[in-house]
């Protein structure tokens, strides 16, 4: 679970709660599209979670070296047959896709009729991976992409508001204090600041009015229409 020392704690904890709610509805055979290190495996104890991700490259270095993919492949050209999966999960992936509509089309294709798609994406974020960081998505933007692919949108959950947005930005500023030079001093200071910021803004969030137009993430749940043919 996301802990207080994580710079995204204020919003990631809500992603965890929503996944706990929706993962059981995604069936027994689920695709994690852009799986990375499979951080959500714990939410699928009774399902087989198949991870697909890109191999390391110059554009995508970093996390792909640690990816726990079962299959290497492109989420816009999934290496699976039509109607293979009961559920498709994608978190913080399509922001890096030059043509995000292709992912939704592919997710529709590989889902069985009635299958569930879960997508969580950023509405507000700093530049992340300069070489392949293209988009930020509002709730309406995600719904439009899903509808175009043929999905029935069941719900969209905005995650965050002005106060949580401000807290996350400050937490990431605190995270940048950490570094290789004098790490033994800088790391404890950074972690203490992150924890304090997360506690303060979690408390503020309980007290003050909330406006989800300032969402940090949007969490979409959609269903493949129960027709026999694939898109």
């Amino acid at each position: 679970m996301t802990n207080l020392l994580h710079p995204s704690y204020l919003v990631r904890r809500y992603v965890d709660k929503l996944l706990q709610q929706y993962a059981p509805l995604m069936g027994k055979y689920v695709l994690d599209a852009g799986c990375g290190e499979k951080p959500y495996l714990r939410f699928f104890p009774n399902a087989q979670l198949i991870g697909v991700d890109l191999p390391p490259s110059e554009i995508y270095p970093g996390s792909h070296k640690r990816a726990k993919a079962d299959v290497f492949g492109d989420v816009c050209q999934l290496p699976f047959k039509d109607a293979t999966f009961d559920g498709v999960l994608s978190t913080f992936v399509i922001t890096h896709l030059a043509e995000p509509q292709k992912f939704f089309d592919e997710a529709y294709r590989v889902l069985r009729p009635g299958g569930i798609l879960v997508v969580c994406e950023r509405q507000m974020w700093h530049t992340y991976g300069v070489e392949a960081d293209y988009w930020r998505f509002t709730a309406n933007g995600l719904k439009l992409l899903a509808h175009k692919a043929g999905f029935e949108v069941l719900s969209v959950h905005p995650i965050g508001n002005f106060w949580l947005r401000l807290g996350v930005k400050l937490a990431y500023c605190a995270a940048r204090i950490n570094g290789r030079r004098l790490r033994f001093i800088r790391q404890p200071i950074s972690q203490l600041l992150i924890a304090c910021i997360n506690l303060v803004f979690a408390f503020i969030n309980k007290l003050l009015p909330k406006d989800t137009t300032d969402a940090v993430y949007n969490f979409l749940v959609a269903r493949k229409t129960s027709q026999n043919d694939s898109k």
Side-chain angles (χ1 to χ4, degrees), residues 50-64:
I50 303 299
V52 62
D53 211 327
L54 291 172
S57 70
E58 291 183 3
I59 297 178
Y60 301 100
S63 64
H64 292 271

Side-chain angles (χ1 to χ4, degrees), residues 171-188:
Y172 270 92
C173 286
R176 294 188 183 104
I177 293 172
N178 199 358
R180 293 181 181 179
R181 191 166 178 238
L182 298 176
R183 186 179 180 84
F184 69 98
I185 296 175
R186 295 170 69 174
Q187 185 177 40

Side-chain angles (χ1 to χ4, degrees), residues 19 22-23 25-27 29-34 44 48-50 52 75 78 80 83-91 94 103-112 114-120 151 219-224:
L19 283 173
Y22 286 107
L25 307 179
M26 297 179 73
Y29 198 50
V30 179
L31 176 66
D32 187 349
F44 297 89
Q48 185 176 1
L49 190 67
I50 303 299
V52 62
V75 298
L78 289 167
F80 304 103
T84 297
F85 296 97
D86 301 309
V88 172
L89 170 68
S90 174
T91 63
I94 64 172
F103 163 73
F104 281 85
D105 293 342
E106 278 292 273
Y108 190 95
R109 180 183 67 80
V110 301
L111 275 170
R112 294 167 182 155
I116 297 295
L117 170 69
V118 168
V119 173
C120 186
F151 285 101
F219 187 103
L220 173 136
V221 183
R223 177 169 54 206
K224 179 173 179 175

Side-chain angles (χ1 to χ4, degrees), residues 4-9 125-126 166-181 183 185-198:
L4 274 172
L5 298 179
H6 197 294
S8 301
Y9 165 81
W125 211 249
H126 50 267
L166 179 58
V168 168
K169 293 296 290 182
L170 290 173
Y172 270 92
C173 286
R176 294 188 183 104
I177 293 172
N178 199 358
R180 293 181 181 179
R181 191 166 178 238
R183 186 179 180 84
I185 296 175
R186 295 170 69 174
Q187 185 177 40
I189 294 173
S190 174
Q191 291 180 336
L192 177 61
L193 285 172
I194 291 169
C196 290
I197 290 166
N198 284 336

Side-chain angles (χ1 to χ4, degrees), residues 88-180:
V88 172
L89 170 68
S90 174
T91 63
F92 315 117
V93 172
I94 64 172
T95 190
H96 300 293
L97 304 179
E99 299 179 88
Q101 185 64 60
K102 288 185 177 181
F103 163 73
F104 281 85
D105 293 342
E106 278 292 273
Y108 190 95
R109 180 183 67 80
V110 301
L111 275 170
R112 294 167 182 155
I116 297 295
L117 170 69
V118 168
V119 173
C120 186
E121 270 303 337
R122 303 173 177 95
Q123 178 170 308
M124 180 285 297
W125 211 249
H126 50 267
T127 303
Y128 183 78
V130 176
E131 292 297 322
D133 187 359
Y134 303 114
W135 314 103
R136 300 294 180 265
F137 294 91
T138 63
N140 286 336
L142 289 179
K143 287 194 287 186
L144 179 64
L145 291 168
H147 282 310
K148 281 187 173 181
F151 285 101
E152 173 192 2
V153 174
L154 302 179
S155 59
V156 180
H157 302 270
I159 298 174
N161 51 62
F162 172 80
W163 306 109
L164 295 184
R165 179 183 285 209
L166 179 58
V168 168
K169 293 296 290 182
L170 290 173
Y172 270 92
C173 286
R176 294 188 183 104
I177 293 172
N178 199 358
R180 293 181 181 179

